[in-house]
Amino acid sequence: MKRPGPLPEAGTKTMSTEATNDRAVLTIGGKTYELPVKIGTEGEMAIDITSLRSTTGAITLDDGYGNTGSCESAITFIDGDQGILRYRGYPIEQLAEQSTFVESSYLLIFGELPTGPQLAEFRRLLCEHEFIHEDMRHQFEGFPPNAHPMAILSAMINALGAYEPDLLEPEDDSRFIDAAARLMSKIRTVAAASYKKSLGQPMIYPRYDLQYVPNFLHMMFSKPNHPHQPLPEVVSALRQILILHADHEQNCSTSTVRMVGSSQANLYASVASGVCALWGPLHGGANQAVIDMLDQIIASGETPEAFIARVKDRNSKIRLMGFGHRVYKNYDPRAKILKVACDRMLNKLGIHDRMLDVAMKLEEVALKDSYFIDRKLYPNVDFYSGIIMKAIGIPTDMFPVMFAIGRLPGWIAHWREAHLQPSQKIHRPRQLYIGARMRDYQPIDRRR
Ligand code: ACO
């Protein structure tokens, strides 16, 4: 089989931190300890505590890991205060405008933009592997009709590993590119098949002549007696959604993939775990919550101003969904891009969506309001992505699946980066035990 030219080593150009002369000084019980300080390539500072427990006996406590760097990574850079997101150094705005999802995925996974022959070969592999094993088609029949597509997706990704046992541990580059292409190609076939299953319609086979995004839309919306031809604006908007979701450094699902992979679990099992982590409403489910919120506002006839007033009421516990982010304390750069894409796509399609009007008014009111200004709450990526997907005809329970298709290259890139690190250790955090002290076992007749 023809193979691409040598693949770049993952992130070799930037894969180092700078040691500094600075030391963090820590005093515990009258004793002073010095901890090294490291600086990342964009000037971020980290206190290296790898020797903390062995030298002091203490651990750090950081519920939710908001202050903990779990690894060094050369894949994605985020500056949440400035609203900056870059994949392998390239600004997200440039990739969303000029790149394709396949090219951006290659960049994330292998560290460099592909040359013409490398991209052509990666595309060929994606086409070659777009079918799933015929036996796997029968596995769909084992799921109940109302099974959530994320349940099907994670189970099927694990099942894929069973059909490709020789690729579970892709140790060299040519096998790794095969495994990455298979996963990226088959995830959209499985995703579309799970949608068809939920409709009771026959699964649609992929087409060799179509590129990644149109091929997915074909499998989702064609029928055996009626081919679906998406408009270029629809393809472009979905391409942007996938690129913008492709990586976001150590988020919950990516950290899960790295955590599972750290036990040397295979790529398929690690990625299937990432799908499960993404399923939660606080992670991959927020765009669905935005649509529900907009639906409720429209159905009740409430004005955006009145809704914002309710959000600000401390007793209401209502949040403006699609606003705020753990990392971004500025406009999420992905939301800026999707706002334009949403407007452009709906205009071209001639769709006047009341949801977009309400979303834009909510944004306008919130951005002028001191409640949101003081707390640095801005629209996040989910604020507009749901409106786009809904207009394309993707049902809301498939929204997290779309997120998973987009995030897959990021998961693969992180799994690979972690595996290539010679010092890779199993992830095993500590805890501060706050349970009962030692006590003696009581026979059942003496328990109260
Ligand atoms: N609407 C109203 N108030 C908010 C919102 C919001 N969307 N987000 C945060 N706040 C307020 C909080 O009430 C809190 O106010 P207080 O200081 O008066 O108590 C303050 O802002 C800080 O909020 P935290 O919850 O501490 O912020 P955190 O960084 O932990 O949360 C999160 C981030 C979960 C995203 C939050 O902003 C939120 O719930 N947003 C809505 C859900 C959402 O859109 N999630 C998608 C995130 S993007 C993604 O996952 C791809």
Side-chain angles (χ1 to χ4, degrees):
M1 185 189 291
K2 190 169 150 273
R3 294 287 176 206
L7 295 165
E9 277 298 306
T12 41
K13 284 188 183 159
T14 49
M15 198 71 181
S16 65
T17 43
E18 202 181 304
T20 66
N21 292 328
D22 282 337
R23 291 280 181 273
V25 178
L26 179 70
T27 306
I28 310 177
K31 276 183 95 177
T32 299
Y33 305 90
E34 285 198 349
L35 297 163
V37 173
K38 287 182 164 183
I39 305 287
T41 47
E42 290 286 350
E44 291 173 302
M45 186 167 46
I47 301 169
D48 181 349
I49 58 157
T50 39
S51 64
L52 182 71
R53 189 169 168 276
S54 60
T55 52
T56 68
I59 59 163
T60 56
L61 193 58
D62 184 18
D63 194 10
Y65 308 123
N67 306 283
T68 298
S70 59
C71 60
E72 292 178 10
S73 178
I75 299 171
T76 287
F77 172 70
I78 301 175
D79 182 332
D81 294 325
Q82 307 283 335
I84 291 173
L85 171 61
R86 294 184 202 133
Y87 296 162
R88 301 283 189 183
Y90 295 99
I92 194 65
E93 294 79 7
Q94 292 180 18
L95 294 171
E97 207 48 53
Q98 298 173 52
S99 183
T100 64
F101 178 58
V102 170
E103 185 186 65
S104 294
S105 301
Y106 188 102
L107 168 70
L108 281 167
I109 298 170
F110 300 110
E112 297 293 340
L113 284 168
T115 61
Q118 284 172 333
L119 184 58
E121 174 62 5
F122 194 48
R123 282 194 193 288
R124 191 189 66 74
L125 286 171
L126 288 170
C127 286
E128 188 174 298
H129 296 309
E130 60 196 9
F131 287 92
I132 52 174
H133 195 289
E134 276 297 298
D135 288 351
M136 270 193 80
R137 274 174 22 94
H138 303 306
Q139 295 200 17
F140 282 98
E141 285 155 26
F143 290 99
N146 57 354
H148 195 286
M150 287 296 263
I152 299 180
L153 190 66
S154 64
M156 286 300 199
I157 289 175
N158 248 327
L160 274 176
Y163 287 91
E164 294 164 1
D166 52 326
L167 286 173
L168 293 180
E169 297 295 339
E171 290 304 342
D172 59 64
D173 276 347
S174 78
R175 291 172 73 72
F176 191 85
I177 196 170
D178 225 32
R182 279 174 196 241
L183 263 175
M184 275 189 59
S185 191
K186 290 178 199 298
I187 193 174
R188 73 194 154 154
T189 311
V190 169
S194 73
Y195 173 58
K196 288 296 191 187
K197 154 98 187 143
S198 73
L199 297 179
Q201 288 182 8
M203 179 183 159
I204 299 295
Y205 285 115
R207 272 177 44 187
Y208 201 85
D209 59 316
L210 292 179
Q211 291 206 345
Y212 195 91
V213 174
N215 208 353
F216 172 70
L217 290 167
H218 154 70
M219 288 188 276
M220 283 284 287
F221 299 119
S222 286
K223 293 180 186 150
N225 59 352
H226 184 74
H228 172 78
Q229 264 159 359
L231 292 167
E233 291 76 22
V234 168
V235 173
S236 165
L238 190 54
R239 175 186 63 83
Q240 285 199 325
I241 287 185
L242 296 182
I243 292 175
L244 296 176
H245 283 85
D247 194 42
H248 214 234
E249 48 119 307
Q250 308 308 320
N251 56 85
C252 178
S253 57
T254 304
S255 299
T256 301
V257 170
R258 287 187 85 122
M259 167 79 90
V260 174
S262 78
S263 73
Q264 297 189 353
N266 68 66
L267 178 63
Y268 292 75
S270 305
V271 164
S273 312
V275 172
C276 295
L278 187 68
W279 191 353
L282 293 187
H283 191 8
N287 45 19
Q288 190 170 343
V290 172
I291 295 294
D292 292 345
M293 173 187 77
L294 296 174
D295 258 343
Q296 279 165 20
I297 294 174
I298 291 167
S300 68
E302 190 176 24
T303 62
E305 290 84 353
F307 181 77
I308 293 288
R310 284 205 295 133
V311 168
K312 288 160 51 182
D313 176 1
R314 283 196 163 272
N315 299 320
S316 78
K317 296 215 163 76
I318 299 172
R319 289 207 162 187
L320 178 54
M321 299 311 288
F323 254 68
H325 196 277
R326 175 59 67 80
V327 178
Y328 293 116
K329 300 303 166 197
N330 202 324
Y331 215 114
D332 179 340
R334 302 167 300 172
K336 261 188 206 162
I337 297 166
L338 285 188
K339 182 181 180 181
V340 175
C342 184
D343 202 24
R344 189 165 52 196
M345 190 190 85
L346 295 187
N347 266 331
K348 289 272 182 188
L349 299 185
I351 296 176
H352 182 82
D353 192 335
R354 176 101 180 86
M355 275 194 179
L356 182 60
D357 294 342
V358 174
M360 284 169 62
K361 189 68 193 169
L362 284 171
E363 179 188 328
E364 187 192 316
V365 176
L367 291 181
K368 283 188 201 142
D369 194 301
S370 59
Y371 175 96
F372 295 88
I373 295 169
D374 295 348
R375 289 169 181 77
K376 300 188 174 165
L377 300 171
Y378 294 86
N380 61 48
V381 68
D382 292 318
F383 200 61
Y384 290 104
S385 64
I387 300 177
I388 295 178
M389 289 196 280
K390 188 173 162 281
I392 292 174
I394 296 168
T396 47
D397 65 353
M398 284 288 287
F399 286 6
V401 173
M402 302 308 301
F403 196 152
I405 297 174
R407 186 53 54 89
L408 179 62
W411 291 335
I412 297 172
H414 282 272
W415 189 92
R416 180 173 193 251
E417 181 179 73
H419 264 62
L420 287 178
Q421 277 165 5
S423 59
Q424 198 206 8
K425 291 189 181 119
I426 189 166
H427 287 204
R428 202 318 188 169
R430 294 270 172 175
Q431 63 167 18
L432 189 61
Y433 176 68
I434 55 164
R437 290 178 176 242
M438 205 302 255
R439 47 191 173 160
D440 288 325
Y441 179 84
Q442 298 292 316
I444 198 160
D445 56 341
R446 281 207 239 139
R447 292 178 210 159
R448 274 177 285 143

